[in-house]
Amino acid sequence: MDTTQLTTMLTAIADGIWGPMAYLVIGLGLLFTISTKAVQFRRIPDMIRQLRDQPRAEGGLSSFQALVLALASRVGVGSIAGVATAIAGGGPGALLWMAITGLLACTVGYAEAALSQTFKRRVEDEDRRKAGEDIGGMPYYIKHGLRIPFVGGLVAVLGLIGYGFVFPGFQVSSIAASAHLAFGLPGWIPAVLVTGMIAVVIFGGTTRIVRVTQTLVPLLAVGYLVLAIAVIVANISRVPEAVMLIVRSGLGLQPMLAGVTGAAIAWGVRRAVFASANGLGEATFAAAAARTTHPGKQGLVQTFSIYIDVLLICMATGLMMVVSGKFNVSDHRGGFVIENLPGIDAGPNWVQESIDTLAPGWGAGFVAVAVLLFGFTCLLLYFYVANSNLLFLLDGRRGPGWTLVLRLGTLAIVFTGSVVNADLVWAAGDIGLGLIAWVNLLCLILLFPVVHKVCRDYDRQRREGLDPVFDPEALGIRGADFWKDPARAEDGTPEQTARQKEASGTGG
């Protein structure tokens, strides 16, 4: 079997794993929406309010820092290229279903974050000697919430290998391809540049990763949105028509696109899930790092991050393409229902063409720089995830040697990422990540009662005018040892803790 045949086979397996997963995510989203009484809509003011809160003790991140760390994985190349492929496969109507999926399935992100906070731990890390570091995520709520340590360990090993030694190569491959297309640069130049940038940051530890990410991600997201809005404004007269096209074709009311309505639903749902990494467990590690007084708070913050990605970045990207007319729609028989860009494949090239309608000749360069910076921040998140899995496996033991191996391995795959067979490795990586995601989603189903309790407890305290403080024992939640630690009292005032216990009936 040659490389091409192996790649085709692995791609087919990956498609079989990922295809039904998207529908499971939106189904879970509907379930959590009902259970939480649509918390994603009721608590929008709380989402924004929580971003202003700062941790009251050392060792944790602020909610805003945790938000941008999660956005580093959510807002990126997938939010650009993924939208283009959704329109190509399902027409403009796919954007409608991306928005619907984002609104419903964001409660899966809420559940992931709430569980990550509930079952996180405090560990010693090399760059935080004076205070423990808050660590959590998939392996932690599998081990401590479901009490299945073997599965938690297996997921941690796969996460360590994938995010530390495999997935970084994909990002660098995309960066190198964009740089070559825009500037004609050979692959080794961006490889050296990105490797040097990553080395400077990851050898500074978690603190430096967070500082760089919280600076770059907001600038990138805002800058990209401003440019997308500028393209939309330049075509403002076409906006009403474009919006009607999106809604009508998504509902099967557009005669020309009626034949791809089913594809619009399928592509919209899948790309919304893939672009936001919602339900895949990737953002759980960032969510656990926030120092807050109640898991429900960080659940709301992570819900807001999905809004930013799907409802702002993805929708702005899609509307920019539709109003400028820079898109094609496949008929899934080898031809096109709409062909406005003959010979140009779906992906970042469509964004380039859209930008060129505003500033001719600038599209390729802008997209190349955007891919570089988005890819760089995503690489930082990958290392953070890999390191969190390593800390889980070390289980409180110090392992500077293993940390060094992880850092050097990450730098090696970053440097070689521009020359590996990307299609083959992507297919193999998709299988591994897909299997991890299935485990995560099944665990979310099993931990549904915990999510329900967390949300109900948060709502009760808010109704009583309290700043919610979490007491797992009062709720009958086992395994949440972080919240039993006396040091956690630094995170909430004694008055808040006393009022919480009194309200829950556990006070003396």
Side-chain angles (χ1 to χ4, degrees):
M1 181 181 295
D2 60 23
T3 302
T4 301
Q5 290 175 320
L6 180 59
T7 301
T8 301
M9 182 185 73
L10 293 179
T11 300
I13 295 173
D15 287 343
I17 293 173
W18 283 83
M21 185 194 305
Y23 298 100
L24 176 59
V25 171
I26 195 171
L28 272 178
L30 181 59
L31 179 64
F32 282 124
T33 296
I34 295 171
S35 172
T36 62
K37 299 179 181 178
V39 68
Q40 71 268 43
F41 306 128
R42 294 188 295 109
R43 295 297 181 185
I44 289 178
D46 284 17
M47 297 178 193
I48 299 171
R49 185 182 304 112
Q50 182 61 26
L51 293 177
R52 298 196 299 265
D53 284 359
Q54 296 296 321
R56 299 183 178 92
E58 293 184 38
L61 306 182
S62 69
S63 291
F64 177 76
Q65 289 173 324
L67 171 76
V68 296
L69 199 58
L71 283 174
S73 68
R74 287 186 167 132
V75 178
V77 179
S79 299
I80 299 174
V83 175
T85 54
I87 294 175
L95 295 174
L96 175 66
W97 290 99
M98 287 188 74
I100 292 173
T101 302
L103 289 170
L104 284 180
C106 63
T107 51
V108 178
Y110 174 93
E112 287 182 311
L115 291 172
S116 297
Q117 277 283 325
T118 299
F119 298 108
K120 70 181 180 179
R121 292 297 187 267
R122 185 172 297 170
V123 301
E124 294 297 324
D125 203 4
E126 72 278 2
D127 66 319
R128 291 179 181 268
R129 294 186 179 90
K130 294 183 180 180
E133 182 174 355
D134 293 6
I135 295 290
M138 277 188 296
Y140 294 84
Y141 57 69
I142 292 173
K143 177 181 179 179
H144 302 295
L146 289 177
R147 302 194 174 193
I148 314 177
F150 171 76
V151 176
L154 179 61
V155 167
V157 169
L158 292 175
L160 173 62
I161 295 172
Y163 288 98
F165 304 100
V166 180
F167 304 155
F170 309 153
Q171 293 292 330
V172 180
S173 177
S174 298
I175 292 170
S178 295
H180 178 73
L181 180 65
F183 308 116
L185 296 178
W188 66 269
I189 293 180
V192 170
L193 174 63
V194 176
T195 302
M197 293 166 63
I198 291 294
V200 169
V201 179
I202 66 175
F203 275 92
T206 302
T207 301
R208 188 174 297 173
I209 291 173
V210 172
R211 286 176 179 170
V212 172
T213 305
Q214 77 176 59
T215 300
L216 278 181
V217 171
L219 288 175
L220 289 173
V222 171
Y224 181 81
L225 273 174
V226 167
L227 185 61
I229 292 171
V231 173
I232 294 169
V233 170
N235 297 274
I236 192 69
S237 62
R238 301 179 183 174
V239 170
E241 178 185 353
V243 172
M244 287 301 299
L245 177 63
I246 291 168
V247 173
R248 288 177 58 84
S249 58
L251 298 177
L253 303 176
Q254 189 73 18
M256 181 186 299
L257 297 169
V260 295
T261 301
I265 298 172
W267 279 97
V269 172
R270 290 180 62 176
R271 287 307 175 195
V273 172
F274 299 163
S276 66
N278 191 23
L280 309 186
E282 195 167 274
T284 59
F285 302 91
R291 184 66 60 84
T292 186
T293 63
H294 197 285
K297 291 183 176 181
Q298 196 56 32
L300 293 173
V301 170
Q302 293 305 308
T303 301
F304 192 63
S305 75
I306 297 171
Y307 281 174
I308 293 173
D309 179 49
V310 177
L311 300 183
L312 285 180
I313 304 294
C314 290
M315 290 302 104
T317 300
L319 188 57
M320 175 172 60
M321 295 176 191
V322 176
V323 298
S324 63
K326 301 302 180 181
F327 66 94
N328 300 328
V329 180
S330 171
D331 65 2
H332 301 283
R333 296 189 298 271
F336 296 93
V337 179
I338 297 174
E339 188 177 18
N340 297 327
L341 296 172
I344 300 180
D345 293 333
N349 290 342
W350 289 11
V351 178
Q352 294 174 9
E353 294 289 335
S354 299
I355 295 172
D356 279 344
T357 64
L358 178 67
W362 285 80
F366 175 85
V367 170
V369 173
V371 169
L372 167 65
L373 295 176
F374 277 131
F376 172 66
T377 56
C378 191
L379 287 170
L380 296 181
L381 186 279
Y382 283 177
F383 179 81
Y384 180 83
V385 171
N387 190 57
S388 296
N389 282 296
L390 175 61
L391 291 173
F392 174 87
L393 294 170
L394 290 173
D395 195 22
R397 300 183 297 272
R398 295 191 63 80
W402 288 109
T403 302
L404 180 61
V405 169
L406 173 59
R407 286 171 171 164
L408 294 178
T410 296
L411 295 179
I413 189 60
V414 167
F415 182 77
T416 59
S418 61
V419 296
V420 297
N421 185 330
D423 291 339
L424 176 61
V425 181
W426 258 118
D430 274 349
I431 293 174
L433 182 59
L435 293 175
I436 294 175
W438 270 103
V439 172
N440 181 52
L441 291 169
L442 293 175
C443 290
L444 293 181
I445 295 173
L446 295 174
L447 289 167
F448 176 86
V450 176
V451 178
H452 181 73
K453 288 179 180 180
V454 168
C455 184
R456 184 177 58 185
D457 181 61
Y458 179 91
D459 282 341
R460 176 187 60 77
Q461 294 189 56
R462 289 290 288 122
R463 286 195 304 270
E464 295 173 0
L466 302 176
D467 181 11
V469 176
F470 189 52
D471 183 354
E473 292 184 343
L475 300 175
I477 298 175
R478 299 184 300 171
D481 294 352
F482 171 89
W483 302 93
K484 302 174 186 177
D485 186 348
R488 190 196 63 78
E490 300 174 8
D491 299 335
T493 66
E495 292 80 4
Q496 289 172 332
T497 303
R499 282 188 297 168
Q500 194 273 346
K501 288 186 176 181
E502 182 180 355
S504 61
T506 60

